[in-house]
């Protein structure tokens, strides 16, 4: 498909304004806000209404078994092998055919995200940095999004960690709601990622007070006082 055909189709689907905005972000300038979140590893998670899923097999990711990502995450095989060789802790979930359908990673040390954002994420003693959590569409809305975090937390607690930290893109509403559902708290820090002409990247940390996620929180159930008789 030619570039002009793709451009025409995108304009028809999204409109001219949205198309120009995407072109600007991709080829001229973009700014992403990554909100720092944290949580202890022992407080129970709040109740949820996620649906169950068929049993999956959990395996620790190694350079040798990374081929299991071939069917659903074919472009990640090399990345998964690299992360395993660097000593990070990775879990993948395999279906009955032996294909990886979900994965998540944890790093006890400062993490250099050269595969995506390109910056360093510092990790303090006792913490671990959680990253890369992803699952195929068939498992969206299931308890797998909870289970693969709980299992990673246990594995990292066994390595001496007592807190999980990570970052979440401010525009990724489903991911932010998942963090709220899991009981994460905002640290009041933002890693700002700027990209110029699709080539140069710049990074800056800023801080804020209060909460930037209150609008995403479900209001507490209202109580109606009983009428006196």
């Amino acid at each position: 498909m030619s570039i002009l055909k793709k451009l025409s189709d995108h304009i028809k689907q999204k409109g001219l304004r949205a198309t120009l905005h995407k072109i600007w972000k991709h080829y001229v300038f973009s700014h992403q806000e990554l909100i720092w979140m944290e949580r202890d590893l022992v407080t129970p998670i709040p109740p949820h209404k996620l649906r169950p899923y068929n049993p999956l097999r959990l395996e620790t990711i190694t350079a040798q078994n990374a081929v299991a990502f071939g069917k659903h995450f074919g472009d990640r095989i090399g990345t998964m092998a690299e992360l395993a060789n660097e000593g990070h802790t990775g879990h993948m979930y395999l279906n009955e055919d032996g294909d990886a359908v979900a994965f998540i990673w944890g790093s006890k040390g400062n993490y250099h995200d050269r595969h995506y954002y390109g910056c360093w994420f510092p990790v303090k003693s006792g913490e671990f940095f959680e990253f890369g959590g992803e699952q195929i569409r068939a498992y969206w809305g299931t308890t797998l999004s909870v289970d693969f975090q709980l299992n990673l937390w246990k594995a990292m607690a066994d390595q001496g960690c007592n807190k999980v930290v990570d970052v979440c893109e401010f525009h990724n509403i489903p991911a932010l709601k998942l963090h709220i559902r899991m009981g994460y708290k905002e640290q009041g820090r933002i890693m700002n990622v700027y990209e110029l002409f699709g080539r140069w990247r710049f990074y800056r940390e800023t801080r804020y007070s209060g909460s930037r996620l209150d609008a995403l929180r479900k209001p507490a159930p209202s109580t109606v006082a009983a009428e006196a008789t």
Side-chain angles (χ1 to χ4, degrees):
M1 184 182 293
S2 68
I3 295 178
L4 290 178
K5 181 64 165 59
K6 290 182 179 179
L7 182 61
S8 176
D9 290 345
H10 194 278
I11 292 175
K12 290 178 181 178
Q13 295 175 7
K14 304 294 184 179
L16 179 60
R17 185 173 183 177
T19 301
L20 292 176
H21 180 68
K22 183 175 182 179
I23 292 173
W24 176 269
K25 288 183 63 178
H26 187 75
Y27 293 104
V28 183
F29 175 79
S30 68
H31 172 212
Q32 293 191 77
E33 293 180 301
L34 309 181
I35 297 182
W36 277 93
M37 311 284 283
E38 67 174 38
R39 193 195 194 284
D40 67 67
L41 304 181
V42 295
T43 303
I45 64 170
H48 59 76
K49 296 181 180 180
L50 298 171
R51 69 179 191 275
Y53 58 93
N54 293 329
L56 299 170
R57 186 171 81 255
L58 187 163
E59 285 195 12
T60 299
I61 302 171
T62 67
Q64 290 70 40
N65 65 19
V67 293
F69 289 94
K71 182 174 181 179
H72 298 293
F73 307 97
D75 60 335
R76 317 283 185 86
I77 295 177
T79 299
M80 298 299 166
E82 287 180 23
L83 292 172
N85 281 332
E86 290 172 1
H88 305 301
T89 299
H91 286 174
M92 64 178 173
Y93 290 77
L94 309 178
N95 61 19
E96 59 185 7
D97 297 321
D99 299 313
V101 297
F103 63 90
I104 191 168
W105 287 91
S107 173
K108 285 185 65 176
N110 296 337
Y111 176 61
H112 183 211
D113 184 12
R114 67 179 184 278
H115 297 104
Y116 196 67
Y117 296 115
C119 57
W120 281 93
F121 294 107
V123 180
K124 298 177 182 177
S125 176
E127 299 177 346
F128 81 91
F129 184 74
E130 181 179 284
F131 64 97
E134 191 172 337
Q135 54 195 2
I136 65 173
R137 182 179 290 271
Y139 292 89
W140 290 4
T142 71
T143 55
L144 180 58
S145 62
V146 172
D147 293 345
F148 73 179
Q149 292 191 71
L150 293 178
N151 289 330
L152 181 65
W153 296 357
K154 183 179 184 304
M156 301 307 292
D158 291 343
Q159 297 181 41
C161 299
N162 54 43
K163 180 187 290 186
V164 53
V165 297
D166 73 354
V167 294
C168 188
E169 296 176 356
F170 186 61
H171 72 269
N172 191 339
I173 303 302
L176 290 174
K177 288 184 176 180
L178 173 62
H179 279 71
I180 293 172
R181 186 164 64 240
M182 294 294 294
Y184 280 83
K185 297 179 181 179
E186 299 166 69
Q187 286 191 339
R189 295 191 295 148
I190 296 176
M191 173 63 79
N192 296 272
V193 181
Y194 306 92
E195 187 170 285
L196 188 61
F197 300 124
R199 182 174 181 180
W200 295 290
R201 283 187 174 180
F202 309 92
Y203 310 96
R204 181 172 68 101
E205 183 175 284
T206 56
R207 296 180 178 270
Y208 64 95
S209 58
S211 172
R212 295 193 59 176
L213 307 184
D214 279 346
L216 302 179
R217 303 180 195 279
K218 293 183 178 180
S222 59
T223 57
V224 180
E227 185 176 347
T229 58

